[in-house]
């Protein structure tokens, strides 16, 4: 069953990356379980958000479920990356569209387990 959940998540990620590509939006990729893993592609270097769509798709192909569900750590890290991206924006008047999509195979089991908080 874990394999099926990972395949479903991988398929959803591929769809999201295709959508981002069609709008020429940068994409960042992180996974979470009992901790958070931010991923960087070979072409993205130290930049979390990238236009390296094939690199992100390659990461999504290797997706595996990882025990517990602690979404807060990943959310904090991704929000910090959004702040870095916004700070690096040369034209602060220009609004950037920023989106975070979080997929999980279950209810939170670590950290805040009440999604309404």
């Amino acid at each position: 069953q874990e394999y099926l959940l990972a395949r479903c998540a991988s398929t959803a990620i591929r769809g999201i990356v295709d959508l981002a590509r069609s709008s020429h939006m940068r994409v960042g990729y992180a996974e979470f379980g009992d901790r958070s893993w931010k991923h960087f592609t070979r072409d993205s270097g130290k930049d979390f958000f990238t236009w390296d769509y094939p690199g992100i798709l390659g990461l999504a192909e290797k997706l595996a479920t990882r025990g517990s569900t602690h979404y807060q750590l990943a959310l904090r890290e991704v929000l910090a990356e959004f702040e870095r991206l916004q700070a690096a924006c040369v034209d602060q008047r220009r609004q950037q569209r920023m989106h975070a999509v979080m997929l999980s195979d279950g209810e939170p089991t670590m950290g805040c387990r009440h999604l309404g908080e």
Side-chain angles (χ1 to χ4, degrees):
Q1 177 166 352
E2 286 184 14
Y3 174 79
L4 283 175
L5 293 171
R7 292 289 54 158
C8 287
S10 182
T11 299
I13 292 164
R14 287 195 306 272
I16 291 166
V17 171
D18 287 342
L19 181 62
R21 180 184 306 178
S22 71
S23 299
H24 198 65
M25 293 173 64
R26 286 180 272 198
V27 177
Y29 183 72
E31 295 179 22
F32 60 97
D34 57 348
R35 59 189 194 101
S36 175
W37 298 270
K38 285 192 306 185
H39 293 284
F40 299 87
T41 68
R42 185 174 41 117
D43 291 347
S44 71
K46 295 179 183 179
D47 295 327
F48 179 69
F49 293 105
T50 180
W51 287 287
D52 180 13
Y53 307 116
I56 297 291
L57 292 172
L59 292 168
E61 283 296 318
K62 298 174 186 158
L63 175 71
T65 57
R66 299 179 188 225
S68 302
T69 302
H70 192 346
Y71 71 92
Q72 285 177 294
L73 298 173
L75 182 58
R76 280 188 203 123
E77 289 184 352
V78 170
L79 291 176
E81 291 294 342
F82 278 139
E83 289 175 5
R84 275 192 275 286
L85 184 64
Q86 191 67 33
C89 182
V90 175
D91 185 356
Q92 292 294 323
R93 295 169 300 186
R94 186 172 165 228
Q95 281 292 86
Q96 292 191 28
R97 294 179 298 165
M98 294 189 217
H99 310 279
V101 177
M102 300 187 77
L103 303 174
S104 176
D105 63 352
E107 296 288 324
T109 57
M110 296 180 70
C112 178
R113 296 192 312 226
H114 304 286
L115 296 176
E117 293 182 10

